[in-house]
Each structure stands twice: as C-alpha cells, then as structure tokens.
Amino acid sequence: MGHQQHSTDAYDVVVVGGGAAGLSAALVLGRSRRSVLVVDAGEPRNAPAAHMHGYPSRDGMPPGAFLAEVRREVAAYGVGLVRDRVTAAEPVGSGEFDVSLADGGRVHARRLVVATGLVDELPDIPGVAERWGDDVMHCPYCHGWEVRDRAIGVLHAKASGIHQALLFSQLSDDVTLFLDGTDEDELPDSDWQMLAAAGVGVVSGKVGGLVVTDDALSGVRLADGRVFARSVFVVPPRMVPRDALLTALGARTRETPAGPFADVDPTGLTSVPGVWAVGNAAGPAEQVVNAASAGYRAGTTINADLLHTDLERAAALRRAGVFSPEGERAVARARTARTGA
Ligand SMILES: Cc1cc2nc3c(=O)[nH]c(=O)nc-3n(C[C@H](O)[C@H](O)[C@H](O)COP(=O)(O)OP(=O)(O)OC[C@H]3O[C@@H](n4cnc5c(N)ncnc54)[C@H](O)[C@@H]3O)c2cc1C
C-alpha cells in the first residue's frame, strides 16, 4: 500500500476500510478538499480471485491492481492512507469520534465511514477453502462467463442452492446440484420442475470432499466414496459483515437473506449520527461497482453535511455578533472546507 504520512491527528473523515467502497468515498471527499484518513487492514474480499469482472472499463483486471490504481488516484488529492486496523470508535458528541488504531494511534474524526466489507465463511468441506476464488466459487456474475460450458457442481443450501443451480444453467448445459444430505422429499414439486426445465441433474447424498488433479478441481466426492467428475464447484458461503465497530456503536440492523446487516438510508447513513456504512459492510449483495457507488454517494453526502454544519454555526455566531475563539474556529473551519487551507 502506498503509505502516506498523515500530518495531523484530526480529520474531517476517517474511512475504515480501503476496498472499493472506502476508497471511492475517500476519492470524492479528497476532491472536495476534505482532510481524510483511510485506515485499511488490507484484506479485501475478492483477494483470492485472479481477476475482477463486471466493473465497466476494468473488466478482467486483477483485484489488487485495481485497488492499487484507486489508492494512487486518492493519494493525489492529499488523502492519508495507512495500513492498520481500527479497533474502536468512541463518540465524543456532535456526531464526532475518537478512533483507535491497532498500532496504538488515536485520531479524531468528524465523520466516520465504515467500509469494512464482510467475511465469507465457507462450508466445512475438505478442499473448498484451498480452491476458493479459483474453481470453487459462489458468484455467477463474477466468474460465470469464465466457466461457461464446463462441468459445474452446485452445493445445495436451503436459501440458495436451487437459485444458484438455475443461474449457472444459463452458462453451461452440464450443471449438477448436490443435495448434500438434504432429503429429496424436502424439495417442493415446483423446484423439481424448474430444475428439470433447466436441465440440471440432481445427486443425493452427503458431500465428503473435492478431488484435485494437477492443481485443478476434477471431481466431487460423496461421503459414500462415489466421485462425480466436475471442474467447477459452486458453494454458498455464510456472509458475515465485519460490523464490530457498528455493533459497538449501537447501530441498528436489518434482516437480509444472509442475516442481519447494518440498516442504512440510501446515502449509507446508519442509525448512529455521523456514521455511514457502505459496500459489503452494509449489504451482502454489493459487487465492486455497487460498493464504489455507495462509497461515492456517502462521500458527497458527508461533504454537504459538514459544509452545512460549519456554515450554519458560523452564520449563527455572526448573527449574534459573537466573536469568540469558538466562533473564529467555526468560521475558519468553514473556510478550510472551502479552500482546503
Ligand atoms: C472470490 C470472490 C471473487 C469476487 N469477484 C468479484 C468480481 O469479479 N466482480 C465483482 O464486482 N465483485 C466480486 N466479488 C465481490 C467483491 O469482493 C465485493 O463486492 C467487494 O470486495 C466489496 O468491496 P468493499 O469495499 O465493500 O469491501 P472489501 O473489498 O472487502 O474491503 C474492505 C476492506 O476493509 C478492511 N477492514 C476490515 N475491517 C477493518 C478495520 N477494523 N480497520 C481497517 N480496515 C478494515 C479489510 O481488510 C478490507 O481491505 C468477489 C468476491 C469473492 C469472495
């Protein structure tokens, strides 16, 4: 990461997480001459994948190269970038926070963007973790085109198995759904009809592991020893938001198909004043382009919020004819917001 020394310990905005969501917020805030610090632990969700797809103009770019390019763009506007981990954010009133870093540092943030992403908890099947992001995957939009026409296995899960099998059937005529111990009778007739219409095969029995040949997936082994030749395996990760900071701040959650995620308004504002949550920290379905979009929207909203906060305070003090040190600071802050001085 292109580290940049941050010369002050007070920022307009501290962005927690330097993936697409956080960096996008930082980019627009930096371009608005805001003082911004991005603290990033450096574990973006799609790191295991060799290529990133579906981002207009960057389709197929390695994820690490994409983020390096955005960091370069962001740093050019004076945004501070540090490789560290935020361990706590303590409200100090007026939607402002004292932010603690793992290295012992402490910075002040007038507003907070939580862009910490999520963790994919993988099914406990031997071989799955090792091949995750390669020929074991979850997302037809991320890698589906690349595995078109191949022999694809789909691991059944109550919430997603049928849907995933149907989606991948659009990409290959050779899709098999592995029920993994789910009783055939548990699938309603409507599911069987859709699977048949899509040409999806179904295999009963518990999945025992993957067969790998020459560093490539070659089969799915059932617990009873039978092996089905497959070169792609689709699994349902449990998507868990990295929301420890939000939980500690008491942010409200909402139910999603993947479980509770932060409840945010269309700009990413959480129920905690001054705290925005964007990208996968706020929703399981966000792809890179959506995460970047959410970060951008939060950034513009925060810029306007700070601008109005400062100018309203300055205008009130002027109206009252008060020329206190506080008043002068407020006016100066508003001036800094306009000029970046
Ligand atoms: C294998 C795989 C392949 C994928 N392929 C694609 C694809 O091709 N196209 C696509 O659009 N989407 C793809 N995705 C989805 C993509 O990864 C997400 O949409 C994207 O990463 C979300 O961006 P984000 O900024 O919200 O989170 P992330 O990219 O996960 O970034 C979050 C960052 O925050 C940091 N962080 C977390 N907690 C802290 C903390 N307390 N302090 C400081 N930093 C912290 C993390 O270390 C990380 O660097 C893929 C996902 C997977 C699992």
Side-chain angles (χ1 to χ4, degrees), residues 88-107:
E90 191 189 319
V92 291
S94 310
E96 304 199 6
F97 302 88
D98 278 343
V99 177
S100 302
L101 276 57
D103 76 352
R106 212 170 156 82
V107 294

Side-chain angles (χ1 to χ4, degrees), residues 185-279:
D185 294 340
E186 285 182 34
L187 265 49
D189 288 347
S190 56
D191 281 354
W192 286 106
Q193 282 160 18
M194 293 290 270
L195 291 168
V200 173
V202 178
V203 170
S204 298
K206 194 88 186 139
V207 172
L210 302 184
V211 183
V212 176
T213 312
D214 295 333
D215 196 27
L217 180 68
S218 59
V220 175
R221 184 188 299 109
L222 296 194
D224 64 14
R226 283 180 296 156
V227 171
F228 292 81
R230 298 286 95 185
S231 66
V232 176
F233 198 41
V234 177
V235 301
R238 190 170 153 254
M239 300 178 199
V240 184
R242 288 200 192 96
D243 60 1
L245 292 173
L246 295 170
T247 306
L249 287 164
R252 206 172 44 230
T253 59
R254 71 185 200 287
E255 269 312 310
T256 77
F261 275 70
D263 189 17
V264 293
D265 81 358
T267 76
L269 180 63
T270 68
S271 61
V272 182
V275 181
W276 276 255
V278 289

Side-chain angles (χ1 to χ4, degrees), residues 1 80 126 165 168 199 208-209 214 242 283 290 302:
M1 175 176 219
F168 275 89
D214 295 333
R242 288 200 192 96
N290 311 121
I302 291 169

Side-chain angles (χ1 to χ4, degrees), residues 148-170:
R148 66 194 182 281
D149 297 330
R150 284 172 53 183
I152 300 174
V154 177
L155 184 69
H156 184 58
K158 223 174 191 153
S160 66
I162 305 292
H163 183 57
Q164 287 284 66
L166 298 178
L167 283 177
F168 275 89
S169 77
Q170 191 188 342

